[in-house]
mmCIF file of all heavy atoms in Angstrom:
data_model
loop_
_atom_site.group_PDB
_atom_site.id
_atom_site.type_symbol
_atom_site.label_atom_id
_atom_site.label_comp_id
_atom_site.label_asym_id
_atom_site.label_seq_id
_atom_site.Cartn_x
_atom_site.Cartn_y
_atom_site.Cartn_z
ATOM 1 N N VAL A 104 -8.992 -2.338 -16.286
ATOM 2 C CA VAL A 104 -10.117 -2.870 -15.517
ATOM 3 C C VAL A 104 -10.159 -2.133 -14.181
ATOM 4 O O VAL A 104 -9.237 -2.253 -13.367
ATOM 5 C CB VAL A 104 -9.979 -4.384 -15.240
ATOM 6 C CG1 VAL A 104 -11.253 -4.913 -14.567
ATOM 7 C CG2 VAL A 104 -9.675 -5.168 -16.510
ATOM 8 N N GLY A 105 -11.210 -1.348 -13.968
ATOM 9 C CA GLY A 105 -11.379 -0.650 -12.697
ATOM 10 C C GLY A 105 -12.244 -1.479 -11.771
ATOM 11 O O GLY A 105 -13.300 -1.977 -12.183
ATOM 12 N N VAL A 106 -11.800 -1.665 -10.541
ATOM 13 C CA VAL A 106 -12.584 -2.419 -9.560
ATOM 14 C C VAL A 106 -13.146 -1.425 -8.564
ATOM 15 O O VAL A 106 -12.398 -0.708 -7.896
ATOM 16 C CB VAL A 106 -11.721 -3.475 -8.836
ATOM 17 C CG1 VAL A 106 -12.566 -4.242 -7.821
ATOM 18 C CG2 VAL A 106 -11.088 -4.437 -9.847
ATOM 19 N N THR A 107 -14.485 -1.366 -8.483
ATOM 20 C CA THR A 107 -15.100 -0.400 -7.588
ATOM 21 C C THR A 107 -16.237 -1.045 -6.820
ATOM 22 O O THR A 107 -16.680 -2.150 -7.132
ATOM 23 C CB THR A 107 -15.565 0.849 -8.379
ATOM 24 O OG1 THR A 107 -15.917 1.871 -7.463
ATOM 25 C CG2 THR A 107 -16.734 0.541 -9.297
ATOM 26 N N GLY A 108 -16.704 -0.356 -5.787
ATOM 27 C CA GLY A 108 -17.744 -0.884 -4.912
ATOM 28 C C GLY A 108 -17.507 -0.344 -3.514
ATOM 29 O O GLY A 108 -16.419 0.131 -3.194
ATOM 30 N N ALA A 109 -18.546 -0.413 -2.681
ATOM 31 C CA ALA A 109 -18.387 0.091 -1.310
ATOM 32 C C ALA A 109 -17.463 -0.815 -0.501
ATOM 33 O O ALA A 109 -16.714 -0.359 0.348
ATOM 34 C CB ALA A 109 -19.754 0.185 -0.638
ATOM 35 N N HIS A 110 -17.524 -2.127 -0.768
ATOM 36 C CA HIS A 110 -16.697 -3.095 -0.033
ATOM 37 C C HIS A 110 -16.078 -4.087 -1.016
ATOM 38 O O HIS A 110 -16.645 -4.380 -2.057
ATOM 39 C CB HIS A 110 -17.543 -3.880 0.978
ATOM 40 C CG HIS A 110 -18.531 -3.032 1.708
ATOM 41 N ND1 HIS A 110 -18.146 -2.042 2.577
ATOM 42 C CD2 HIS A 110 -19.888 -2.998 1.668
ATOM 43 C CE1 HIS A 110 -19.224 -1.445 3.058
ATOM 44 N NE2 HIS A 110 -20.299 -1.994 2.512
ATOM 45 N N GLY A 111 -14.909 -4.615 -0.639
ATOM 46 C CA GLY A 111 -14.301 -5.684 -1.433
ATOM 47 C C GLY A 111 -13.401 -5.227 -2.558
ATOM 48 O O GLY A 111 -12.855 -6.059 -3.294
ATOM 49 N N LYS A 112 -13.215 -3.906 -2.705
ATOM 50 C CA LYS A 112 -12.397 -3.408 -3.825
ATOM 51 C C LYS A 112 -10.971 -3.936 -3.772
ATOM 52 O O LYS A 112 -10.443 -4.440 -4.760
ATOM 53 C CB LYS A 112 -12.300 -1.872 -3.786
ATOM 54 C CG LYS A 112 -13.537 -1.119 -4.135
ATOM 55 C CD LYS A 112 -13.271 0.376 -4.224
ATOM 56 C CE LYS A 112 -13.026 1.039 -2.891
ATOM 57 N NZ LYS A 112 -14.210 1.154 -2.045
ATOM 58 N N THR A 113 -10.331 -3.767 -2.617
ATOM 59 C CA THR A 113 -8.900 -4.100 -2.512
ATOM 60 C C THR A 113 -8.658 -5.582 -2.729
ATOM 61 O O THR A 113 -7.793 -5.975 -3.513
ATOM 62 C CB THR A 113 -8.357 -3.645 -1.139
ATOM 63 O OG1 THR A 113 -8.530 -2.230 -1.038
ATOM 64 C CG2 THR A 113 -6.890 -3.982 -0.989
ATOM 65 N N SER A 114 -9.441 -6.422 -2.050
ATOM 66 C CA SER A 114 -9.264 -7.874 -2.190
ATOM 67 C C SER A 114 -9.512 -8.324 -3.626
ATOM 68 O O SER A 114 -8.777 -9.155 -4.166
ATOM 69 C CB SER A 114 -10.227 -8.620 -1.245
ATOM 70 O OG SER A 114 -9.937 -8.294 0.090
ATOM 71 N N THR A 115 -10.549 -7.760 -4.254
ATOM 72 C CA THR A 115 -10.883 -8.162 -5.631
ATOM 73 C C THR A 115 -9.827 -7.677 -6.613
ATOM 74 O O THR A 115 -9.450 -8.398 -7.552
ATOM 75 C CB THR A 115 -12.281 -7.632 -6.015
ATOM 76 O OG1 THR A 115 -13.228 -8.086 -5.044
ATOM 77 C CG2 THR A 115 -12.701 -8.130 -7.381
ATOM 78 N N THR A 116 -9.320 -6.465 -6.416
ATOM 79 C CA THR A 116 -8.262 -5.946 -7.303
ATOM 80 C C THR A 116 -7.023 -6.829 -7.214
ATOM 81 O O THR A 116 -6.426 -7.200 -8.237
ATOM 82 C CB THR A 116 -7.892 -4.490 -6.923
ATOM 83 O OG1 THR A 116 -9.064 -3.702 -6.866
ATOM 84 C CG2 THR A 116 -6.938 -3.888 -7.944
#
Side-chain angles (χ1 to χ4, degrees):
V104 186
V106 180
T107 191
H110 319 294
K112 289 187 288 289
T113 300
S114 298
T115 305
T116 308

